[in-house]
Amino acid sequence: MLFQVINYYPIALTGVSLLLAACGLLVLRNRSRQGLRTLLAEYRAVRRSWSLGPLVLAVFLLNCFLLPAALRLHTSAEITLHYSLASQGLNPNGTRFNQADILSAQVLEGAIEKGALEGITAQDLKNTIQVRPVVQGNSYSEDAYFISTQFVVQYNASSETASQDGEKLLTLVTQAYKDWFVRSYSANPSILRLDFSPAEGADYLDSCLFLAQTAQSIGEYMRSMSGEEPAFRSSASGETFQSVSALAYEVEETLVERLEAYVLEEGISRDPGQYVNRLEVANVFMRFNAQKAAASNENMLEAITMYEDDMARIVLVPTYDTNNQFYMSQTRIGVDDFAANANHYADEKIAIQEKIAYNDHVIGQLSGRSGGAEDKAEALIGQIRRELTRIAGLAEELVKEYNARQANRYMTAVVSSSEAQAMKLAAEIAARTVLFAAGLRLCWFSLAGGRKRR
């Protein structure tokens, strides 16, 4: 009941004030034949008998209490997007921006959880909030196309949320949306949380491969982050994306290669016989693939020789470019495709033969070795893991620091506070009080003056 009174009080007060004024004007219109001088005389005569001050004061006090309370039920916030792709209607990752995400269940539930709100559901919040662009375009004409980067979030309380402060609710919602937006479209550092369990118990050369790939993944991830902002530097560690990337690749090129060289030099393997058999089987399949690549290469070369000299000549065709400039264009002929394919199969054959040669070298190193140097290999593996873990930690903290800074660059959210609207509220209280007083006096004068005249 109190919610209904507070919510509709401004409308009711305005309606009563206008109704009183209308009644007074209607009566005075019928008495306007007496002339303005007579009406003024009557006004002076009845003015001293008025006792409307207490009623106007009571309405003023009600305004001072109910209008600020009504302000809490109707609040707005403005969200502004700052990243470059926003003007194209896109998210930071290039996907389509959707303003409806502000009212998604995930965002609203996050706001409820953040504020520890009790008795309010995400649907209750959704029913009280509307989102609209600050500038609304339309699709009827190209001149009217407009992609807004500013949105108004309007809150109008319901009976379920009336007990909450509207400013607080909108602050929670905008903060929850900002957090969700950053999580969804900022760099995800989860790849930097290393897990070495897949390599537990693996043969030493397999461990070398796993550790090299781990170092490459860190280095490549940091290199891609450097492409976003090369100059970004951590205020805590002083590292940049490029420097951390270089650290990761250095582990691959020094520590991992040193481990691999030591393993091959000493012929270390957890199970030499099984590992050699695996490489021999792999060589069988690779030799078959190398033969296929060689045959395909020969087929392409033979196809090229089948073309007559006339057909293989380059033909020049008169053409205009995009600037309407005339030039002679070369035509693309079938020989071009055959030559490209021949090069591809030749490169493939060479790459396979290199892998076979490496496997043969490993087989030779492992064959007939008794081992005995595993302790040093294990120590090197432990050293590499610790170094990769350290670098991954530096990288993750760097990405988190970058994301935290980007959060404020992606968007700003400004909620209309009661302090900022204090002057507006004071003016509204005064205006509504004056309107009521004017309507009341006008109605009272028209009725009181008429009775006295009779």
Side-chain angles (χ1 to χ4, degrees), residues 10 40 70 91 107 141 189 310 380 397 445 448:
L40 291 176
N91 293 312
V107 170
S141 168
D310 303 352
L380 287 172
E397 290 304 316
F445 166 64

Side-chain angles (χ1 to χ4, degrees), residues 279-280 282-283 286 354-364:
L279 294 181
E280 288 176 344
N283 280 353
M286 285 194 291
E354 289 177 351
K355 291 180 182 178
I356 293 173
Y358 175 79
N359 286 351
D360 288 338
H361 173 65
V362 174
I363 291 172

Side-chain angles (χ1 to χ4, degrees), residues 170-200:
L170 269 195
T171 300
L172 291 172
V173 170
T174 53
Q175 287 179 349
Y177 176 65
K178 194 173 182 179
D179 293 343
W180 173 86
F181 193 88
V182 171
R183 287 196 309 270
S184 300
Y185 301 112
S186 293
N188 185 0
S190 60
I191 191 177
L192 300 172
R193 294 161 195 162
L194 303 185
D195 179 15
F196 297 108
S197 59
E200 292 293 341

